[in-house]
Amino acid sequence: EKHLVESGGGLVQAGGSLRLSCVGSGFAFDNYPIGWFRQIPGSEREMVSCVSSKDKYNRIAESVKGRFTISIDKAKNTVYLQMNSLKPEDTAVYYCGADCTYFYSTGIIDFWGQGTPVTVSR
């Protein structure tokens, strides 16, 4: 069974940093582009970033460009989201999901992690 497990969320002051981790198991990590998403109550889940080690692409949302970086450690089956210069509007539950390739056009993700909450205080 395919699993994704997020960690690293928490409470941070505006301007601070957090690094989120997403560990995958039960599937061939190279075959699934992994994305980071976030959702606030009452809003749709938005994709923050999507990365594929196999196809060597890396997408990042305009709202976080220059502040967030996605990376992969294939040896650990882990995708990271480094978040710097955090703002209160980054407050959300952050999820990782796969396969993120066609999320913008279809909204479909094959499987999700359970989410990790991030709160940025003023």
Side-chain angles (χ1 to χ4, degrees):
E1 189 175 349
K2 304 179 184 71
H3 285 289
L4 295 170
V5 180
E6 303 96 332
S7 63
L11 174 64
V12 63
Q13 288 188 329
S17 298
L18 283 173
R19 188 176 79 158
L20 306 182
S21 300
C22 171
V23 180
S25 62
F27 62 96
F29 201 70
D30 267 356
N31 290 344
Y32 283 84
I34 306 289
W36 279 101
F37 304 77
R38 64 185 183 185
Q39 187 172 26
I40 60 175
S43 297
E44 292 186 353
R45 199 167 292 188
E46 66 166 335
M47 188 162 73
V48 174
S49 189
C50 177
V51 65
S52 169
S53 60
K54 184 178 181 181
D55 301 321
K56 295 181 172 50
Y57 67 74
N58 184 328
R59 302 173 187 160
I60 194 102
E62 285 296 322
S63 59
V64 303
K65 194 171 286 186
R67 300 188 298 121
F68 291 12
T69 304
I70 193 169
S71 62
I72 294 179
D73 185 336
K74 290 195 289 184
K76 296 182 179 179
N77 277 11
T78 301
V79 176
Y80 300 100
L81 185 68
Q82 178 66 44
M83 306 187 295
N84 298 328
S85 302
L86 282 160
K87 304 175 181 180
E89 51 263 43
D90 295 319
T91 295
V93 179
Y94 284 72
Y95 300 86
C96 58
D99 171 348
C100 51
T101 309
Y102 301 108
F103 181 78
Y104 282 134
S105 57
T106 67
I108 295 173
I109 293 293
D110 294 341
F111 51 99
W112 295 97
Q114 83 288 351
T116 184
V118 171
T119 303
V120 184
S121 63
R122 297 186 184 279

